Amino acid sequence: MRLEHTMKHKETNDQTIDFNKAKIVSSYRDITNNISENNDIVSRLTRRLQTTLDCEDIIEMFAGEVKTLVTFDQMTHSASNQDTIKIGDKAGTHSCQYNLSMDETDLGSLTFSRKQRFIEEELCIIEKLASTLVFPLRNAKLYQQALKAALRDELTDFGNKRALAASLHREAELSIRHDSPLSIVMLDIDHFKAINDCYGHLAGDSILKDLAATIKKCARQSDLCFRYGGEEFLLILDNTDKQQALFVAERIRKTVAEYSYLYNGKIIPVTISLGTATFNQKETLESLQTRADEALYCAKNQGRNVVVSSELKNNITSIESLQIG
């Protein structure tokens, strides 16, 4: 376990403090009695931090305990792939920073700030309490990684069917609450079995991965992408009506058809068929997905490499004439 400590005042002094098997080495001879002679606050904080696997709850608990011993105007926790957590309204002029890590795993940095300088005794107290954060943060990070893995498709990095169910339910509730349109697009790779038979399953996996990247580039930032089945994908399009959904689907179809998919130096022609459906607030989510699926198979029956809407009778004649609001 390792903690790097940086104090920032008018001048900057860097000091590195090593934790050997969770034992803290401190250069300060006489830490406050609350810490050196009575470890109740440390043991209490350690127990509290182990009651949750939510990073924000862990940081808030920690900040509350620190503030009983050391005053500060603001404390922040910054980590990769996580929003910065701020405790306190306004940062002060003077600050001290602690970088937390364990087993080469970066657990983010803590920054305390206030108007007055931090004295060495206060820094020692913070260092002592900071040691209680390492294991809970590491466990929370591992839990979040496992949770994310359980909801992601490993090959494409899209959400899986479990994630789709939760996301579609949430988006439908928002659509009803705000009376806004909601659409889905279901798509399938044409003749995918023939691709696997001709080029091999590794080539098929490569195409699935490349197709997912193509879909992501064509989709809007707010669109949610999922791997629905073997070679099937589904997109949730919020605030999107039936005409706009057809536009998005056609843009994806056209881009995929024009893209050159390479595997072992060979170009593999790939096209997709797509079906769209727009949510009727009186129908079930199962009905919505069924209608999109039926539109998809209608597209296949029409010769593949086309888009069919479950509501609109006519296909797109001019993609340039359509606009997304």
Side-chain angles (χ1 to χ4, degrees):
M1 178 168 61
R2 183 176 179 84
L3 177 135
E4 294 181 348
H5 167 220
T6 302
M7 294 176 287
K8 298 179 180 179
H9 305 298
K10 292 181 180 179
E11 68 282 353
T12 301
N13 299 313
D14 293 342
Q15 181 183 5
T16 299
I17 298 175
D18 289 317
F19 291 88
N20 183 18
K21 297 181 180 180
K23 293 181 180 179
I24 301 171
V25 178
S26 174
S27 60
Y28 194 75
R29 297 180 179 178
D30 186 23
I31 293 180
T32 306
N33 289 337
N34 290 5
I35 300 297
S36 61
E37 295 180 1
N38 189 339
N39 277 326
D40 283 350
I41 187 172
V42 174
S43 59
R44 181 177 71 248
L45 181 55
T46 300
R47 289 193 300 270
R48 288 190 65 196
L49 297 182
Q50 292 174 352
T51 62
T52 180
L53 290 169
D54 184 277
C55 286
E56 188 168 355
D57 289 345
I58 289 172
I59 296 302
E60 288 180 352
M61 288 180 188
F62 174 76
E65 291 287 2
V66 172
K67 203 153 194 175
T68 63
L69 296 175
V70 179
T71 60
F72 57 84
D73 295 330
Q74 187 180 85
M75 189 199 85
T76 63
H77 177 257
S78 301
S80 59
N81 300 320
Q82 176 187 304
D83 292 336
T84 298
I85 301 171
K86 293 185 179 182
I87 309 295
D89 297 328
K90 188 176 180 180
T93 306
H94 302 283
S95 66
C96 57
Q97 186 179 82
Y98 298 84
N99 298 318
L100 304 170
S101 65
M102 183 176 186
D103 298 332
E104 298 184 357
T105 300
D106 180 19
L107 300 174
S109 62
L110 288 173
T111 303
F112 296 85
S113 66
R114 69 183 187 188
K115 296 177 183 179
Q116 299 83 24
R117 289 173 178 265
F118 290 91
I119 63 174
E120 188 173 357
E121 182 179 7
E122 292 174 318
L123 295 175
C124 289
I125 292 174
I126 295 175
E127 290 162 12
K128 178 75 173 180
L129 296 183
S131 68
T132 64
L133 266 179
V134 177
F135 286 101
L137 279 180
R138 194 274 305 267
N139 291 340
K141 188 179 183 72
L142 292 175
Y143 172 75
Q144 293 300 325
Q145 290 174 347
L147 189 63
K148 181 180 179 181
L151 298 175
R152 306 298 292 181
D153 174 63
E154 185 177 357
L155 179 65
T156 64
D157 199 38
F158 277 7
N160 58 21
K161 290 191 75 171
R162 181 185 298 179
L164 167 63
S167 297
L168 189 56
H169 181 78
R170 181 185 67 248
E171 293 299 325
E173 285 187 337
L174 291 173
S175 173
I176 294 172
R177 184 184 309 165
H178 300 294
D179 194 25
S180 59
L182 174 69
S183 298
I184 64 173
V185 176
M186 191 174 291
L187 64 93
D188 182 89
I189 300 177
D190 297 329
H191 304 297
F192 188 67
K193 183 179 184 301
I195 293 175
N196 277 330
D197 292 343
C198 183
Y199 298 98
H201 288 279
L202 291 179
D205 286 348
S206 177
I207 285 176
L208 286 169
K209 190 173 182 179
D210 288 347
L211 176 60
T214 303
I215 292 171
K216 196 69 175 178
K217 290 179 182 178
C218 294
R220 300 165 302 176
Q221 189 172 7
S222 60
D223 297 336
L224 304 176
C225 305
F226 304 88
R227 186 178 179 187
Y228 191 75
E231 67 268 24
E232 285 187 325
F233 296 84
L234 188 144
L235 280 70
I236 301 176
L237 315 178
D238 69 325
N239 199 29
T240 304
D241 63 24
K242 53 191 176 184
Q243 196 76 17
Q244 294 167 337
L246 200 61
F247 174 88
V248 173
E250 173 62 13
R251 181 170 61 200
I252 295 173
R253 183 207 65 78
K254 187 172 184 290
T255 303
V256 170
E258 295 174 349
Y259 187 82
S260 296
Y261 290 88
L262 292 172
Y263 183 75
N264 282 347
K266 296 180 180 179
I267 297 178
I268 303 176
V270 177
T271 61
I272 57 176
S273 299
L274 307 94
T276 71
T278 300
F279 182 47
N280 182 331
Q281 295 184 1
K282 295 181 180 179
E283 74 176 328
T284 64
L285 296 180
E286 182 180 357
S287 170
L288 174 66
Q289 293 179 77
T290 298
R291 289 195 297 109
D293 192 50
E294 291 173 349
L296 167 60
Y297 279 93
C298 182
K300 287 186 172 294
N301 291 332
Q302 289 185 18
R304 295 181 170 84
N305 193 26
V306 296
V307 181
V308 171
S309 167
S310 63
E311 293 92 5
L312 298 173
K313 295 182 180 179
N314 299 322
N315 288 336
I316 293 177
T317 55
S318 174
I319 191 170
E320 288 79 12
S321 67
L322 296 173
Q323 295 182 354
I324 298 179

